[in-house]
Amino acid sequence: MSRIRFTRRLPAAFAAAGLALAVAACGGESSTSPEGTNAAAADDLKPNADLTKQSIQVTVWDGYLPEEFTKKAKEQLKVKDLKIALHATNEDAMAKLTASGDSGIDVAFVSGQYAQALNEQGLLEPIHPELIPNLANLYPEATQLSYDKGNKISVPYTWGTTGICYRTDLVKKKPTSWNDLLKPPAWADKKVTMMTTERWLALPALKALGYSVNTDKDEEIAQAKELLLAQKPHLLGYDDTTFGDKLKSGEALMVEAWDGWCPTTDPKGNIAFEVPKEGSDLWVDTMVIMKSSKNKEAAHALINYILAPENHSWAAENINYKVPNKAAMERVKVAKGSLLGIKPDELLDGESIVDLGQASTKYTRLSTEVTAQS
Amino acid sequence: MRSELKARPASPSRGRRLGAFVFLSPGLTYLVVLLLVPLALVLSNTVFRRGRFGGVVYEFTTENFARLMDPLYLGVVGGSLRIAALTTAIALLLGYPTAYAIARLSPKWKTIALVAIVLPFWTNFIIRVYAWIILLSGPGLVNSGLAAIGLGPYELLYNRGAIVTGLLYSYLPLMVLPLYAAIERLDPQLREASANLGASPFTTFRKVTLPLTIPGVLSGCLFVFVPSFGNFVIPEILGGNKSIMVGNLIRDQFLKARDWPFGSTLALALIAVLLVLLMAQAWMARRA
């Protein structure tokens, strides 16, 4: 997920782009390692290790942890040091984590399908549940995520779904189907936007056609492409970051959006979110521990710290993302119109996006072909 | 005597060469490390396969070049060329009279006019581009102004016209400044002589002023064309990502598609087009 919510202002994204290119220039050899060969074997970790000798390096999306996080966590965990690096997108994170044998990163925040991919490359340390007692705070549903059943290699941090975010006062009919977006009615012509990032461009079309969001069948992807090309002349534009603003200004009436990004709590109260009847996805942003980490006990302690209800609830209260933590969500006051009220079992109706290995190229190709078509 | 004559100029020139080396080396190092090395990396990427998570797998392939020939991508390159050419042409039409007028102002007003031309550069580029959304959007300023006199509303944003408008706005100063320099440098006596010999103002412009300012025209065109051709911010913000340009395509290959080899191949194609243009400009400037 290109979670650049708080650095949404483009310059930061472009700076990140520059960085990514720089990383690109250095990290050539990384991906020669064979794919999907070995899920990592667990190291022996000592529950009573001396954390004051361990330092933790984290990489996370900007704005995804509280500002005072470093100071507070360091104090409480009594680790030698705790440093935070930022990434703008999953791609950035992957470039960092796969660039060399030891990335120097202990804990990384990436989306579920990327955690799966990292694990297939043998880059992840299995989660040692005995070192994270706060795992008990998670909803039972949060252990049933298809990219990692039983949280063996990742711990979920936030989760949500994708749907149609729309202006209740300007639509003539409430959208209920992905087709309302794909074949907009006359009153919404050129007042609709779609996301182009990663797998989310194809999602509405695949769901409308009754296919899986994880399909790797060329035939099904080709049909989705036809739908998307037919839709293109009726779009206001493609937008991965500012669709909320376009709704607020009234330039757009309906947009494809992640729930956390749909400004339903806008004081005017005229924006709502709908998961179309054909179904949608379940996206999860997770925390993983790198195999190369030399501070694995401290890394587990950090995840345990984050899972404490008083810490984990920060994300729901401040960045409006649902957290898969029952104890944390119980502390959160859900404002009127807020999407934080979506229940875990409803979320689990969504199909989680899993990594498709080489077939993921088909989606990036689709995205390029749809946007490049004039 | 002869050898002395020969030796003499040699020694200061050796000194000069040493001096030149000392002064050039920081810049040269900078260029080699930050321009040539990355360029070589881009070049080498083009013949390898993509890695699954980005990066490059070192297996030789020509598929990137084959893919470049796909009408889809050629179409994007062609579209970018058209947009950049149109922007450059309009910039020249607007920029020449502007530069001409500024060159004829009194020194005080000249300074004020030039500062005014450069002033927008003091604000962040992205912010200036965003401002155009407020001007051009459906309920925006231009449309409300037009509505007041009973026109519109027009679809002004998220199309090619908006892209050209944004590019023109951003790069017009780069046309005006070299033109101003060329026109300013022109000896006024040449124009007077032409008038004295009976040429009309238009003939003077056509036969004296214009030919003598061609180098300025060429550099101005190049300064506008090059950044317009590779731009990806404006097509994204003002074009709504619907008609993408070659810059967007390259950016997406690196940041979204994780296909560095193909991104590099596209970048190479862009560099090739620009090199041809640079050579054409140099050749025309020499003839002018």
Side-chain angles (χ1 to χ4, degrees):
Chain A
M1 194 145 315
S2 78
R3 212 53 64 71
I4 23 181
R5 181 172 190 151
F6 288 84
T7 45
R8 228 193 277 166
R9 278 148 227 108
L10 285 155
F14 294 131
L19 259 178
L21 292 180
V23 173
C26 316
E29 303 98 90
S30 62
S31 26
T32 41
S33 56
E35 277 160 34
T37 41
N38 48 334
D43 273 5
D44 277 339
L45 298 187
K46 296 166 212 71
N48 49 0
D50 183 5
L51 297 190
T52 57
K53 295 208 173 85
Q54 300 195 3
S55 308
I56 319 171
Q57 174 72 56
V58 178
T59 180
V60 61
W61 285 282
D62 198 4
Y64 231 42
L65 286 172
E67 260 175 50
E68 69 284 0
F69 179 80
T70 331
K71 198 171 152 272
K72 280 175 73 179
K74 202 174 138 183
E75 262 173 33
Q76 194 168 331
L77 298 173
K78 301 194 171 51
V79 289
K80 193 167 138 209
D81 202 4
L82 171 60
K83 283 202 214 109
I84 305 277
L86 301 175
H87 56 255
T89 63
N90 275 312
E91 270 79 17
D92 281 0
M94 293 304 268
K96 270 194 214 175
L97 298 172
T98 60
S100 59
D102 181 2
S103 55
I105 289 165
D106 303 294
V107 177
F109 284 67
V110 292
S111 294
Q113 67 271 32
Y114 288 87
Q116 180 196 355
L118 283 170
N119 186 49
E120 280 165 13
Q121 297 227 318
L123 293 174
L124 295 188
E125 172 69 18
I127 298 293
H128 296 241
E130 71 279 9
L131 295 183
I132 312 182
N134 282 338
L135 278 173
N137 293 337
L138 295 181
Y139 286 108
E141 286 88 348
T143 62
Q144 297 306 314
L145 305 162
S146 57
Y147 61 85
D148 177 25
K149 285 223 157 87
N151 307 117
K152 291 196 176 63
I153 46 122
S154 65
V155 178
Y157 178 66
T158 54
W159 60 359
T161 185
T162 309
I164 303 177
C165 184
Y166 65 99
R167 280 285 292 262
T168 50
D169 54 337
L170 297 177
V171 295
K172 294 229 166 79
K173 189 180 141 285
K174 179 184 157 186
T176 53
S177 158
W178 285 118
N179 282 317
D180 294 329
L181 212 56
L182 291 164
K183 298 168 187 159
W187 50 263
D189 197 46
K190 300 216 171 181
K191 291 187 158 52
V192 166
T193 74
M194 292 274 287
M195 300 197 283
T196 54
T197 190
E198 298 175 44
R199 306 266 291 276
W200 281 276
L201 173 68
L203 181 139
L206 288 173
K207 282 292 173 190
L209 291 164
Y211 301 142
S212 158
V213 291
N214 294 314
T215 182
D216 60 354
K217 296 196 184 76
D218 291 323
E219 168 59 23
E220 296 181 357
I221 296 172
Q223 283 181 39
K225 182 179 156 190
E226 287 310 307
L227 261 182
L228 293 169
L229 286 176
Q231 176 201 33
K232 195 172 176 182
H234 305 289
L235 285 179
L236 178 67
Y238 295 102
D239 193 337
D240 299 319
T241 44
T242 60
F243 47 75
D245 299 330
K246 290 196 169 104
L247 271 183
K248 285 189 200 165
S249 73
E251 285 174 275
L253 302 185
M254 296 189 282
V255 300
E256 181 193 7
W258 295 304
D259 49 356
W261 287 48
C262 179
T264 49
T265 49
D266 190 62
K268 283 194 192 127
N270 54 8
I271 293 174
F273 181 81
E274 178 76 15
V275 177
K277 60 182 182 208
E278 296 91 349
S280 187
D281 68 332
L282 162 64
W283 60 257
V284 187
D285 286 343
T286 71
M287 302 175 273
V288 296
I289 298 174
M290 303 307 292
K291 184 95 205 153
S292 56
S293 164
K294 293 176 186 69
N295 310 291
K296 294 195 177 91
E297 286 89 354
H300 279 86
L302 182 78
I303 292 180
N304 192 53
Y305 168 85
I306 292 172
L307 289 185
E310 64 275 19
N311 297 327
H312 208 171
S313 56
W314 177 88
E317 282 162 348
N318 293 279
I319 58 175
N320 230 1
Y321 284 12
K322 286 176 289 300
V323 296
N325 186 319
K326 189 161 184 282
M329 283 307 277
E330 278 163 2
R331 294 169 56 99
V332 178
K333 263 199 234 116
V334 177
K336 188 172 170 287
S338 166
L339 298 171
L340 294 174
I342 301 181
K343 295 278 174 295
D345 56 324
E346 296 169 53
L347 271 180
L348 229 62
D349 286 344
E351 189 184 0
S352 31
I353 293 181
V354 298
D355 182 64
L356 293 175
Q358 279 300 344
S360 64
T361 350
K362 294 176 185 170
Y363 284 90
T364 52
R365 188 73 71 116
L366 170 83
S367 204
T368 308
E369 287 175 0
V370 171
T371 46
Q373 198 71 250
S374 51
Chain B
M1 187 72 189
R2 273 180 69 151
S3 67
E4 214 175 294
L5 264 176
K6 240 179 147 185
R8 247 202 191 146
S11 88
S13 109
R14 200 181 303 137
R16 213 178 299 141
R17 231 178 288 147
L18 188 72
F21 180 76
V22 169
F23 285 117
L24 274 178
S25 55
L28 215 58
T29 317
Y30 179 87
L31 280 178
V32 168
V33 174
L34 294 174
L35 184 74
L36 290 184
V37 171
L39 207 59
L41 278 170
V42 166
L43 199 68
S44 70
N45 277 351
T46 58
V47 292
F48 295 117
R49 235 175 264 287
R50 78 187 285 248
R52 192 172 145 203
F53 301 107
V56 179
V57 178
Y58 292 101
E59 288 168 33
F60 181 81
T61 173
T62 54
E63 70 172 359
N64 297 312
F65 289 96
R67 207 175 150 196
L68 192 62
M69 289 301 128
D70 184 324
L72 181 73
Y73 302 116
L74 289 180
V76 173
V77 175
S80 310
L81 280 172
R82 274 199 301 278
I83 288 178
L86 183 62
T87 306
T88 310
I90 302 175
L92 182 59
L93 287 177
L94 293 176
Y96 203 100
T98 312
Y100 196 86
I102 294 174
R104 310 196 95 183
L105 290 173
S106 70
K108 182 185 146 203
W109 283 105
K110 226 182 248 179
T111 315
I112 292 174
L114 287 175
V115 168
I117 295 271
V118 182
L119 205 60
F121 285 109
W122 293 7
T123 310
N124 181 291
F125 172 71
I126 310 280
I127 295 174
R128 285 183 286 133
V129 175
Y130 262 108
W132 278 95
I133 295 185
I134 301 171
L135 290 172
L136 297 180
S137 76
L141 284 176
V142 173
N143 266 325
S144 9
L146 287 172
I149 53 166
L151 291 172
Y154 295 102
E155 229 174 73
L156 302 171
L157 200 55
Y158 309 124
N159 52 34
R160 285 215 170 82
I163 299 178
V164 173
T165 308
L167 290 171
L168 190 61
Y169 162 75
S170 303
Y171 300 126
L172 187 59
L174 300 182
M175 177 66 89
V176 173
L177 294 176
L179 279 175
Y180 164 78
I183 297 169
E184 161 83 344
R185 230 182 296 134
L186 216 59
D187 187 347
Q189 287 185 345
L190 292 173
R191 275 197 301 259
E192 282 162 26
S194 166
N196 286 343
L197 293 169
S200 69
F202 180 68
T203 314
T204 303
F205 175 76
R206 201 165 52 89
K207 299 235 157 143
V208 181
T209 313
L210 188 60
L212 286 171
T213 51
I214 282 292
V217 170
L218 290 173
S219 359
C221 287
L222 207 67
F223 286 166
V224 174
F225 189 90
V226 170
S228 300
F229 184 50
N231 200 293
F232 62 90
V233 180
I234 291 174
E236 177 162 323
I237 300 179
L238 298 179
N241 260 330
K242 274 195 294 182
S243 25
I244 63 171
M245 290 174 67
V246 63
N248 302 75
L249 209 50
I250 295 173
R251 191 265 323 256
D252 289 352
Q253 293 311 306
F254 282 96
L255 292 186
K256 290 187 183 172
R258 275 174 279 150
D259 195 340
W260 300 358
F262 186 55
S264 301
T265 312
L266 284 166
L268 188 70
L270 189 132
I271 294 169
V273 170
L274 294 180
L275 270 182
V276 169
L277 281 171
L278 271 172
M279 289 193 302
Q281 188 248 9
W283 180 74
M284 280 163 77
R286 219 178 308 127
R287 271 178 40 130

